[in-house]
């Protein structure tokens, strides 16, 4: 059984690594072609829509773009598709390995929604498919001719999903699923729209017909959406490492602001690639949005602390504050964070963090504060039922110095 646990952990590591590798490949090629398309010199004579000279790795490259297609089918044609497919497939495998197989630990929080494992998995998988269907319907409606209105409606859809996921899953799973929801739209755009449209154009060229420009127009719209959604997806995929993002009260609003930051950041770079005046206002807008997100991660906590702690708040001016926090940590955390964990299914302390002795707790004071005090990241799914007043105790203890009674906050 112990060997199986090690093998499963390495399998999860391999799937995560594969996902990172393929995502880098997809994002890299996507960003390159967006930058290339926007930087083309279109003041040229001839059938091409634009051209660009580039230098890299000691060589010069002369690139031409045809708005619809060249007059004849080229002998060698490189397709860019496997990066997208591999990223989605490896991401879906990660979702299954970490969140479906570990549903009771990472996916389900009985305090949010008391779901059976099969129900949680059904919602997880079903939401990805339904999200694509809704998005595709909107794009194929009359809104397809109004790109700005369509983007606004897409943002509303993403905000609604951000809120909805937090009503059924743990905070960690909610933001991860929002990222998967968005990535599914992006990859489905490639699989169901962009690639089929390109195949139609290729088939027309082979048959000697003039391709219809509408296929390129449709593909360009979906590609533009993918461009603006990429950075928020990266944030959401990394969010499980940052409890202040996923495990706080306003996590769904924070996620919504991230989509706006994705727009401001990409607008900055897209404008720069077009060799126009750089919109420096986007830098300020991004910073302001980020500051708001950071503020939301702890908004309202002082008032809530006063409500849940009541008279207990006065105790933290006394010398026994560490002893009280130690009692909470030992009762709520040490069953997993022990040198020999006794929580079923856990063979070693997560991230090798031990919380058994006063010295252990002193060394991990900052992480205890962030993971179990400020946020609700720990315990996962609140499996040990830590109470609001106990989280308030941790916050008060750390904010008063944590080390003033012989306990050093790292």
């Amino acid at each position: 059984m112990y060997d199986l646990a090690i093998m499963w952990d390495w399998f999860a590591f391999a799937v995560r690594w594969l996902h990172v590798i393929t995502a880098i490949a997809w994002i890299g090629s996507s960003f390159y072609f967006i930058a290339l398309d926007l930087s083309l010199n279109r003041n040229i004579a001839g059938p091409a829509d634009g051209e660009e000279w580039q230098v890299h790795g000691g060589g010069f490259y002369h690139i031409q773009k045809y708005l619809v297609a060249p007059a004849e089918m080229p002998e060698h044609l490189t397709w860019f598709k496997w990066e997208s497919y591999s990223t989605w497939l490896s991401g879906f495998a990660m979702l299954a390995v970490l969140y479906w197989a570990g549903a009771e630990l990472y996916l389900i929080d009985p305090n949010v929604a008391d779901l059976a494992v099969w129900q949680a998995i059904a919602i997880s998988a079903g939401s990805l498919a339904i999200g694509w269907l809704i998005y595709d319907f909107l794009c194929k409606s009359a809104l397809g001719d109004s790109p700005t209105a369509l983007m606004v409606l897409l943002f509303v859809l993403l905000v609604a999903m951000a809120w909805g996921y937090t009503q059924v899953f743990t905070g960690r799973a909610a933001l991860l699923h929002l990222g998967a929801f968005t990535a599914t739209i992006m990859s489905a755009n490639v699989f169901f729209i962009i690639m089929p449209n390109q195949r139609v154009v290729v088939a027309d060229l082979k048959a000697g017909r003039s391709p219809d420009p509408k296929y390129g127009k449709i593909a360009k719209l979906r590609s533009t959406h993918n461009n603006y959604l990429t950075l928020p997806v990266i944030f959401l995929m990394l969010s499980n490492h940052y409890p202040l993002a996923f495990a706080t009260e306003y996590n769904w609003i924070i996620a919504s602001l991230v989509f706006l930051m994705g727009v401001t950041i990409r607008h900055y770079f897209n404008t720069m690639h077009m060799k126009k005046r750089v919109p420096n206002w986007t830098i300020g807008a991004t910073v302001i949005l980020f500051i708001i997100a950071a503020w939301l991660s702890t908004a309202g906590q002082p008032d809530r602390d006063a409500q849940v702690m009541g008279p207990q708040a006065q105790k933290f001016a006394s010398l026994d504050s560490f002893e009280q926090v130690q009692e909470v940590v030992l009762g709520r955390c040490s069953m997993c964070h022990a040198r020999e964990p006794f929580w079923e299914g856990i063979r070693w302390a997560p991230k090798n963090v031990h919380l058994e002795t006063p010295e252990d707790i002193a060394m991990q004071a900052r992480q205890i504060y962030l993971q179990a005090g400020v946020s609700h990241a720990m315990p996962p799914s609140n499996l040990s039922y830590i109470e609001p007043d106990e989280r308030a105790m941790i916050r008060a203890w750390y904010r008063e110095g944590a080390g003033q009674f012989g306990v050093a906050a790292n």
Side-chain angles (χ1 to χ4, degrees):
M1 183 64 70
Y2 181 77
D3 289 341
L4 181 61
I6 293 176
M7 291 174 61
W8 181 259
D9 212 47
W10 274 104
F11 174 69
F13 188 6
V15 171
R16 187 187 296 271
W17 193 21
L18 174 63
H19 186 53
V20 170
I21 292 170
T22 55
I24 290 172
W26 185 16
I27 294 168
S29 63
S30 174
F31 279 10
Y32 171 74
F33 278 104
I34 288 291
L36 174 64
D37 184 70
L38 294 174
S39 64
L40 288 173
N41 177 13
R42 290 181 165 84
N43 299 317
I44 58 171
D49 178 55
E51 68 176 19
E52 178 77 343
W53 282 90
Q54 298 183 353
V55 60
H56 180 74
F60 290 85
Y61 300 81
H62 183 204
I63 303 162
Q64 291 182 315
K65 176 191 174 182
Y66 292 81
L67 187 60
V68 180
E72 297 179 357
M73 180 67 188
E75 182 178 352
H76 300 290
L77 185 63
T78 301
W79 295 77
F80 290 85
K81 56 183 179 179
W82 294 112
E83 299 93 336
S84 169
Y85 304 161
S86 300
T87 300
W88 190 87
L89 290 170
S90 59
F92 187 79
M94 255 186 71
L95 180 67
V97 168
L98 297 178
Y99 288 87
W100 293 2
E104 294 178 336
L105 198 60
Y106 298 121
L107 185 60
I108 301 170
D109 184 347
N111 297 307
V112 175
D114 194 7
L115 302 171
V117 171
W118 71 268
Q119 291 174 320
I121 293 175
I123 294 172
S124 171
S127 65
L128 303 184
I130 292 173
W132 158 251
L133 293 175
I134 295 173
Y135 164 80
D136 188 52
F137 171 79
L138 293 174
C139 288
K140 291 177 178 177
S141 70
L143 285 167
D145 295 325
S146 303
T148 301
L150 181 59
M151 283 289 285
V152 171
L153 199 55
L154 174 57
F155 175 68
V156 172
L157 173 62
L158 292 169
V159 172
M161 289 306 303
W163 177 83
Y165 277 132
T166 61
Q167 305 307 300
V168 290
F169 295 144
T170 65
R172 170 175 172 167
L175 264 61
L176 189 282
H177 275 77
L178 184 61
F181 177 91
T182 309
T184 297
I185 288 175
M186 295 170 62
S187 195
N189 273 339
V190 177
F191 185 79
F192 291 113
I193 304 298
I194 297 174
M195 293 306 301
N197 284 12
Q198 290 178 341
R199 291 190 186 99
V200 170
V201 172
V202 169
D204 284 342
L205 282 174
K206 289 181 177 180
R209 298 186 296 266
S210 296
D212 191 329
K214 73 175 185 179
Y215 294 107
K217 179 182 177 182
I218 294 170
K220 181 66 178 295
L221 176 67
R222 303 299 182 100
S223 180
T224 300
H225 289 172
N226 284 5
N227 176 38
Y228 282 101
L229 292 174
T230 300
L231 296 182
V233 168
I234 295 174
F235 179 97
L236 294 168
M237 292 304 176
L238 294 175
S239 66
N240 64 338
H241 298 288
Y242 297 93
L244 292 179
F246 74 80
T248 53
E249 183 176 357
Y250 301 110
N251 50 4
W252 67 276
I253 301 179
I254 292 172
S256 302
L257 294 177
V258 168
F259 283 103
L260 295 180
M261 283 188 271
V263 171
T264 56
I265 294 170
R266 287 309 303 162
H267 181 64
Y268 177 91
F269 283 102
N270 289 344
T271 306
M272 182 176 66
H273 295 319
M274 287 189 287
K275 299 171 184 174
K276 295 183 178 180
R277 183 177 180 180
V278 177
N280 290 320
W281 65 266
T282 59
I283 299 174
T286 304
V287 171
I288 291 171
L289 289 169
F290 193 87
I291 291 173
I292 293 172
W295 171 76
L296 284 171
S297 67
T298 58
Q301 266 189 2
D303 293 335
R304 290 193 295 274
D305 284 357
Q307 292 174 4
V308 300
M309 291 182 65
Q312 294 189 64
Q314 303 301 319
K315 296 181 180 179
F316 289 90
S318 64
L319 294 177
D320 65 348
S321 60
F322 175 69
E323 284 72 18
Q324 294 177 55
V325 169
Q326 181 182 22
E327 183 178 343
V328 172
V329 172
L330 293 177
R332 307 297 189 183
C333 311
S334 63
M335 64 282 293
C336 297
H337 288 283
R339 287 159 181 82
E340 294 184 9
F342 54 89
W343 189 275
E344 184 178 357
I346 294 182
R347 305 293 175 180
W348 45 81
K351 296 186 178 181
N352 202 35
V353 173
H354 302 134
L355 299 174
E356 297 178 284
T357 67
E359 290 75 17
D360 292 338
I361 296 171
M363 290 180 62
Q364 299 297 333
R366 180 172 177 272
Q367 287 303 316
I368 293 170
Y369 170 68
L370 292 175
Q371 302 274 354
V374 177
S375 76
H376 295 179
M378 291 291 164
S381 301
N382 201 23
L383 288 174
S384 61
Y385 302 103
I386 187 169
E387 298 290 341
D389 64 324
E390 293 173 327
R391 294 189 190 276
M393 286 182 189
I394 292 172
R395 290 194 292 269
W397 163 67
Y398 186 86
R399 287 167 180 167
E400 289 192 4
Q404 62 181 323
F405 303 118
V407 182
N410 60 350

